[in-house]
Amino acid sequence: MGELSAVAVLVLGLLHEQPMHPYQMHQNLVERGDARLVRISLGAVYHGVERLERDGLVGVVGTDRTGNRPERTTYRITETGQAAFARRLTSFLGDDHPTYPLFSVGLAEATDLPRDVVTAQLERRRAREAGRLADLESAYERIRAQGLPRRYVLDVEHDLHLMRAELAWLDGALAEIRDGSFLWGEPIPAAFVEAYRAARRHAPQAEADDLTAAL
């Protein structure tokens, strides 16, 4: 049994509440907005449940049919599943799980593009993220007004904090690009190149490697 995927953890989280069938799981994940956390499809949920059953982490409660609809199998989480869920969830919270956002790569190489192109793309990104922030703020305020305790929406609060921080950074960066503070298009200062080379000549190898990695 390999490590549980994010979808598998979300599925086990639902079954931690009560037994349900995969279609109901998918509906719940969509309604709760978990599609913003991971890519969720009905097929991914069914595939995830099949793997969880194969690994003994969930078990079949029963199968039923309503009207002309296909049969639906209801699952429950097993004791083994409870332990695996807690272990993986604990890892998600405290362990290091590096991600490599493409936006960061774009920023790293942004100076290779004309200033007006970079400005236009950052403005486009800002408009999109501002819209997403407004939607998430609205959903958060609505569900909190309905009485849902904060402990159930910590992920939303975290996302809101990150989104607000990114918008603030974008506003600052765009202002400096527009007013010329970044001196766009000019070469790397000769003084920096000399200082960097001197650091590599005199620093211990480990420090030089760290400096190279940082750049």
Side-chain angles (χ1 to χ4, degrees):
M1 179 177 64
E3 290 186 334
L4 294 174
S5 67
V7 172
V9 169
L10 289 173
V11 166
L12 290 175
L14 291 174
L15 295 181
H16 191 268
E17 300 173 14
Q18 65 180 54
M20 60 182 71
H21 53 75
Y23 183 76
Q24 184 182 3
M25 296 175 199
H26 179 257
Q27 282 187 313
N28 272 271
L29 292 173
V30 171
E31 289 172 1
R32 295 182 183 190
D34 289 331
R36 82 181 194 284
L37 304 176
V38 295
R39 185 175 299 175
I40 295 173
S41 67
L42 185 57
V45 172
Y46 272 99
H47 177 73
V49 171
E50 289 174 359
R51 180 172 179 178
L52 291 171
E53 183 185 15
R54 186 172 64 248
D55 292 339
L57 305 185
V58 303
V60 175
V61 174
T63 303
D64 59 72
R65 181 193 298 271
T66 302
N68 295 324
R69 294 178 178 176
E71 288 188 344
R72 289 180 176 172
T73 302
T74 299
Y75 295 86
R76 63 174 179 82
I77 189 170
T78 65
E79 289 186 8
T80 303
Q82 294 272 15
F85 171 69
R87 187 166 54 249
R88 186 63 166 154
L89 189 54
T90 299
S91 172
F92 279 4
L93 289 171
D95 291 342
D96 185 26
H97 300 279
T99 57
Y100 303 96
L102 297 181
F103 180 47
S104 295
V105 178
L107 290 175
E109 303 299 331
T111 54
D112 291 332
L113 292 173
R115 180 173 63 177
D116 59 339
V117 172
V118 174
T119 301
Q121 295 310 308
L122 292 183
E123 288 173 341
R124 188 163 69 95
R125 182 183 188 89
R126 193 209 179 281
R128 183 181 65 247
E129 295 307 305
R132 288 176 177 170
L133 174 60
D135 290 342
L136 192 57
E137 284 177 330
S138 177
Y140 175 80
E141 291 168 2
R142 182 173 62 253
I143 203 164
R144 289 284 288 126
Q146 292 170 352
L148 185 67
R150 282 186 61 204
R151 65 181 181 275
Y152 291 104
V153 287
L154 293 179
D155 61 309
V156 179
E157 291 189 0
H158 178 255
D159 285 352
L160 288 172
H161 178 81
L162 294 179
M163 293 168 76
R164 289 166 183 154
E166 178 169 330
L167 286 178
W169 183 87
L170 282 169
D171 286 339
L174 280 166
E176 292 190 76
I177 292 174
R178 293 189 191 104
D179 69 16
S181 298
F182 279 156
L183 304 177
W184 208 268
E186 294 192 8
I188 296 176
F192 168 79
V193 174
E194 180 56 34
Y196 172 66
R197 289 174 177 169
R200 293 204 64 183
R201 284 195 301 268
H202 299 106
Q205 186 60 44
E207 293 182 14
D209 290 343
D210 289 343
L211 181 59
T212 303
L215 291 173

